[in-house]
Amino acid sequence: MEEQFMREAIRLSRDKMRKNQGGPFGAIVVHGSEIVGRGWNQVTSANDPTAHAEVTAIRKACKKLGTFHLNGCVLYTSCEPCPMCLAAAYWARIDRIYFAGTRKDAARAGFDDEFLYREISKPGSRRSLPMEQLLRKEAVEAFEEWRTKADKTPY
């Protein structure tokens, strides 16, 4: 069954790439034996740098299942997830990820995420994207309000 699902992710990657909807990346989210979310890279067609295959599949699965936690779900993706997509899978609480191509395969095709892997591991002060902290006290007040909010939905 795993190979059948992976073939669907790869099929999406090729089909949507050939239709100029984005790069050659496809992903599906499976719950039990049902595909509950299909996604493909839509970065260029949607003008959205976050519209990676895994993220779009996760969004569709959450919408279909009516939840923001995908416990009990498996992600099949045509390529090893980039740092953003991997983080999205963790936040969604995906149970397992199957991937086909590696990040090195993607790099050979012009999609090199190695820079991001290196940047994330650096302290904020040494990253190439400048970061500066402002108004921490006000932000902490919002966190404190959340912490004591009686009717919140934890996630």
Side-chain angles (χ1 to χ4, degrees):
M1 201 72 172
E2 286 87 5
E3 289 181 0
Q4 176 184 341
F5 289 134
M6 184 58 75
R7 283 192 179 97
E8 175 61 9
I10 294 168
R11 183 197 68 75
L12 277 171
S13 77
R14 297 180 85 177
D15 180 55
K16 302 303 181 178
M17 179 229 3
R18 289 172 178 164
K19 292 178 180 173
N20 293 320
Q21 294 185 6
F25 302 94
I28 62 169
V29 175
V30 175
H31 184 260
S33 61
E34 178 188 3
I35 297 174
V36 294
R38 284 180 169 81
W40 53 91
N41 182 284
Q42 298 172 48
V43 169
T44 57
S45 60
N47 292 320
D48 181 352
T50 69
H52 288 201
E54 297 89 339
V55 171
T56 58
I58 288 169
R59 288 174 181 163
K60 289 177 182 178
C62 287
K63 186 172 184 174
K64 180 172 183 160
L65 297 175
T67 183
F68 51 85
H69 285 167
L70 295 176
N71 304 87
C73 292
V74 177
L75 175 65
Y76 292 82
T77 178
S78 65
C79 186
E80 182 178 358
C82 75
M84 177 183 69
C85 294
L86 182 59
Y90 273 103
W91 280 117
R93 293 177 176 71
I94 294 280
D95 284 1
R96 175 183 292 269
I97 299 172
Y98 290 99
F99 66 93
T102 67
R103 64 194 208 200
K104 289 183 180 184
D105 297 328
R108 281 191 292 278
F111 301 96
D112 194 353
D113 298 331
E114 199 56 43
F115 167 76
L116 295 173
Y117 285 101
R118 285 192 310 270
E119 284 289 298
I120 288 170
S121 66
K122 293 178 183 177
S125 62
R126 296 196 48 218
R127 294 182 184 147
S128 64
L129 179 61
M131 294 175 65
E132 185 175 340
Q133 187 175 27
L134 298 172
L135 304 176
R136 178 175 179 260
K137 182 178 181 264
E138 292 177 31
V140 170
E141 289 170 0
F143 286 136
E144 279 304 307
E145 186 177 335
W146 169 261
R147 191 180 64 76
T148 60
K149 187 174 181 349
D151 63 342
K152 66 184 170 196
T153 302
Y155 61 96

